[in-house]
Amino acid sequence: DSYISGNNNLLQTLIGHSSGSGSGIPLLVQRTIAKQIRIERQIGEGRFGKVCLANWRGEHVAVKIFTTINDQSWLRETEIYQTVLLRHDNILGFIAADLKVSAGGAQMMLITEYHKRGSLHDFLKENTIDTAQLVVMARSIASGIAHLHEPINGTHGKPCIAHRDIKSRNILVKTDGECCIADFALAVRYDSRRNEIDIAPNSRVGTRRYMAPEVVNDTIDVTSFSAFKAADMYSASLVFWELCRRSRQNWPVGGSPMLQADEYMLPYANLVGSDPSLEDMHLVLIIQGARPDIPMRWKCDNRLRVISELIQECWHQNANVRLPALRVMKTLRKLEDSETLENIGIHHV
Ligand code: ADP
Ligand code: MG
Ligand code: MG
């Protein structure tokens, strides 16, 4: 299959030797991890399978189960998680990939660390946050994306990676209040020294609601890897906007200050339906040039004001002027540090 290059070796390593039947379906060998996993309950549902809470050697883990071998996403996600130096506090921790063969057929599994607070989307629906938590969450998301996007050059370096499906459902909330990036089935890697992308990228992938305008109208220049990073930053800006809406702010209601947050809302929920088509997004993003509303009140709080400025720079129509993740992360880190100093009574002059 020319769409994904170099994954046959991985398939062989993971599931054993080819059956030689000519069917192209390898002989499935059940490995030990899959046998040791005890599934407890389902915690998530996706297009190609489900995510379960499981017990492995006495510890809670999350198991993503893919149900069709024809789908490349298990292979692709496993391949991305095995990228050298991918590990980071703000990237979902990978444990193993394995197969389970049962009477019903084969199951491909991806085993990762379990985060009991679940996805950022589900978290924000149920919870509001204070502005200090807002900065921590936004900075941690920017850190995760910056780690993906930036190369690490060295003898065993890390390639640049673009996620291509950044959204609040693909971000998990950790117990320490930071977030981590998950769901790498659509990611692409770029070797800057060889100037090579590791798969032939299909240009219009991802979740339509979060697609950058240049992805929606298919004008993205796929020959330049920075275009994929800029598209991720657009999607990230919508996630930051979701976070800002749920942050509590002192705001005068009828004369007296009250802690206020907006209702949870998906980006563009006021302009498109629950499953927008590319045509719907084209109308909103290209014809109308619309973006989610930035309420006046955000300008009256230092943290919300800084983040709304970053948001507007990241959802710019012109992909070339959007801020890189590293820049966003540094700005948010400064905001986080300065406010921390203030809390302990130190004022920087
Ligand atoms: P899909 O590719 O099907 O979208 P995801 O990896 O995005 O699968 O996971 C789907 C959902 O399952 C997430 O939105 C989240 O609610 C839940 N989930 C996934 N991984 C974990 C995890 N490690 N810990 C807790 N919940 C998870
Ligand atoms: Mg997902
Ligand atoms: Mg997915």
Side-chain angles (χ1 to χ4, degrees):
D1 192 334
S2 63
Y3 177 63
I4 297 183
S5 60
N7 67 354
N8 286 334
N9 288 342
L10 180 73
L11 188 65
Q12 293 301 316
T13 320
L14 285 166
I15 62 180
H17 306 287
S18 165
S19 63
S21 65
S23 65
I25 298 169
L27 179 72
L28 302 176
V29 181
Q30 187 178 343
R31 296 301 168 98
T32 52
I33 298 169
K35 277 190 214 159
Q36 292 168 345
I37 295 269
R38 279 188 294 109
I39 303 285
E40 291 187 4
R41 62 184 160 85
Q42 185 169 335
I43 53 173
E45 181 103 59
R47 209 155 72 84
F48 296 111
K50 57 183 179 178
V51 179
C52 294
L53 167 64
N55 191 297
W56 182 54
R57 296 180 174 172
E59 301 258 27
H60 272 151
V61 293
V63 182
K64 188 165 170 179
I65 301 168
F66 301 77
T67 42
T68 158
I69 196 151
N70 298 320
D71 171 44
Q72 299 282 2
S73 48
W74 172 73
L75 218 49
R76 185 61 185 159
E77 208 169 348
T78 300
E79 202 168 47
I80 296 289
Y81 272 121
Q82 291 185 338
T83 306
V84 175
L85 298 177
L86 185 69
R87 232 161 236 288
H88 187 273
D89 279 353
N90 307 115
I91 302 288
L92 177 59
F94 175 70
I95 298 172
D98 209 355
L99 285 161
K100 188 171 194 157
V101 185
S102 60
Q107 282 186 335
M108 281 73 65
M109 300 175 147
L110 192 86
I111 301 144
T112 62
E113 283 167 6
Y114 169 64
H115 296 292
K116 65 174 183 216
R117 290 173 146 186
S119 77
L120 181 62
H121 174 261
D122 294 341
F123 178 83
L124 292 178
K125 277 197 337 203
E126 300 294 325
N127 301 277
T128 59
I129 52 179
D130 64 31
T131 53
Q133 285 173 288
L134 162 71
V135 177
V136 169
M137 287 182 143
R139 191 270 307 148
S140 65
I141 293 166
S143 298
I145 299 175
H147 182 69
L148 281 179
H149 284 186
E150 297 295 322
I152 298 174
N153 296 314
T155 42
H156 296 281
K158 173 199 152 294
C160 306
I161 301 172
H163 186 283
R164 300 204 297 165
D165 199 13
I166 295 288
K167 57 175 173 176
S168 51
R169 280 194 173 91
N170 286 341
I171 295 172
L172 302 171
V173 179
K174 306 202 295 181
T175 47
D176 64 3
E178 295 207 8
C179 296
C180 64
I181 315 286
D183 198 350
F184 293 93
L186 296 173
V188 284
R189 290 185 293 199
Y190 173 68
D191 182 335
S192 52
R193 280 187 296 192
R194 289 160 62 179
N195 187 28
E196 234 172 55
I197 296 180
D198 72 333
I199 58 166
N202 180 340
S203 58
R204 257 200 252 176
V205 298
T207 304
R208 291 187 288 269
R209 180 183 302 279
Y210 287 85
M211 270 182 190
E214 68 276 13
V215 178
V216 167
N217 71 4
D218 212 7
T219 57
I220 181 171
D221 175 14
V222 296
T223 62
S224 154
F225 197 75
S226 58
F228 292 112
K229 298 199 234 181
D232 274 354
M233 292 318 290
Y234 168 87
S235 311
S237 75
L238 300 181
V239 175
F240 295 150
W241 178 85
E242 291 172 70
L243 277 170
C244 287
R245 280 186 63 90
R246 298 302 278 155
S247 65
R248 297 184 297 270
Q249 181 186 9
N250 254 321
W251 190 245
V253 180
S256 52
M258 291 245 305
L259 277 179
Q260 266 215 164
D262 303 305
E263 295 279 291
Y264 176 74
M265 186 179 159
L266 273 171
Y268 305 110
N270 54 334
L271 301 174
V272 299
S274 61
D275 185 20
S277 63
L278 281 171
E279 290 69 34
D280 295 336
M281 293 317 299
H282 188 269
L283 179 67
V284 168
L285 299 182
I286 314 290
I287 312 283
Q288 300 171 352
R291 290 296 184 273
D293 290 329
I294 304 263
M296 262 306 291
R297 71 169 180 92
W298 295 2
K299 298 185 173 76
C300 305
D301 172 274
N302 186 44
R303 289 159 168 158
L304 279 163
R305 184 181 47 75
V306 171
I307 299 180
S308 22
E309 282 163 11
L310 293 173
I311 288 173
Q312 286 165 298
E313 291 197 69
C314 291
W315 70 30
H316 203 285
Q317 199 80 358
N318 178 356
N320 298 320
V321 304
R322 290 183 202 142
L323 296 173
L326 196 59
R327 181 75 256 152
V328 175
M329 189 264 268
K330 285 179 179 172
T331 302
L332 292 172
R333 178 67 87 180
K334 263 193 212 147
L335 189 62
E336 196 178 351
D337 291 347
S338 67
E339 308 270 351
T340 310
L341 288 176
E342 221 161 83
N343 287 344
I344 55 171
I346 300 171
H347 292 268
H348 191 72
V349 284

